[in-house]
Amino acid sequence: MDYIYPAVFKPNDDGSYTVTFPDLPGCISEGKSLSKAMIMAQTALSEWIEYLSETTQALQNASDIKSITVNDNEFVSLINATVRDNRAVKRTVSLPKWMDEKVIEKGLSLSRVLQDALSQRLH
């Protein structure tokens, strides 16, 4: 699911940027450059929304970007984050008996191996 929230970018004396989200108190990030700050803001937003979802806390609606007041050296930008549903689902899979025996012998987690393989294949 995609989320878009306004973020306030504050330039620091060393050329870095501090990023805050007015609608998500406590969600703060930084970047050594503007481009890094944008990337870090997306990561922070995604992780913050995932955290709220996992702890069943309500997610506040995003403010209209025009309603956000900033200081002279700050600016507001919209940040887009895609959050995936990471809840586990059960699936029935079939594999040859010899393969199942090898998995057990090596002490592997079949779920982890399958997730790793699918993750690699899907990216």
Side-chain angles (χ1 to χ4, degrees), residues 38-82:
M38 294 291 251
I39 293 167
M40 296 302 291
Q42 280 186 310
T43 301
L45 179 59
S46 295
E47 291 177 0
W48 195 261
I49 293 171
E50 287 173 2
Y51 168 76
L52 291 177
S53 177
E54 289 171 6
T55 59
T56 63
Q57 295 182 46
L59 181 61
Q60 184 174 327
N61 290 333
S63 295
D64 183 332
I65 194 170
K66 296 176 213 153
S67 70
I68 298 172
T69 307
V70 295
N71 295 326
D72 289 341
N73 62 342
E74 299 174 339
F75 66 91
V76 180
S77 182
L78 293 174
I79 300 297
N80 179 43
T82 301

Side-chain angles (χ1 to χ4, degrees), residues 113-123:
V113 171
L114 180 59
Q115 286 177 42
D116 290 347
L118 284 172
S119 182
Q120 192 172 31
R121 179 64 80 74
L122 295 173
H123 288 108

Side-chain angles (χ1 to χ4, degrees), residues 3 65 68 80 90 98 103-104:
Y3 295 88
I65 194 170
I68 298 172
N80 179 43
K90 290 193 178 247
W98 69 266
V103 167
I104 293 168

Side-chain angles (χ1 to χ4, degrees), residues 2-109:
D2 286 322
Y3 295 88
I4 299 174
Y5 276 82
V8 175
F9 287 76
K10 178 184 177 187
N12 300 312
D13 293 337
D14 63 357
S16 66
Y17 288 81
T18 300
V19 185
T20 58
F21 292 86
D23 300 313
L24 305 168
C27 185
I28 301 169
S29 189
E30 287 187 315
K32 291 186 178 187
S33 66
L34 182 55
S35 61
K36 295 279 188 198
M38 294 291 251
I39 293 167
M40 296 302 291
Q42 280 186 310
T43 301
L45 179 59
S46 295
E47 291 177 0
W48 195 261
I49 293 171
E50 287 173 2
Y51 168 76
L52 291 177
S53 177
E54 289 171 6
T55 59
T56 63
Q57 295 182 46
L59 181 61
Q60 184 174 327
N61 290 333
S63 295
D64 183 332
I65 194 170
K66 296 176 213 153
S67 70
I68 298 172
T69 307
V70 295
N71 295 326
D72 289 341
N73 62 342
E74 299 174 339
F75 66 91
V76 180
S77 182
L78 293 174
I79 300 297
N80 179 43
T82 301
V83 178
R84 295 183 178 167
D85 185 349
N86 288 324
R87 292 178 291 180
V89 294
K90 290 193 178 247
R91 293 286 198 147
T92 302
V93 297
S94 298
L95 64 153
K97 183 165 178 46
W98 69 266
M99 201 177 282
D100 185 53
E101 290 168 351
K102 284 287 191 186
V103 167
I104 293 168
E105 177 185 308
K106 295 210 179 265
L108 298 173
S109 162

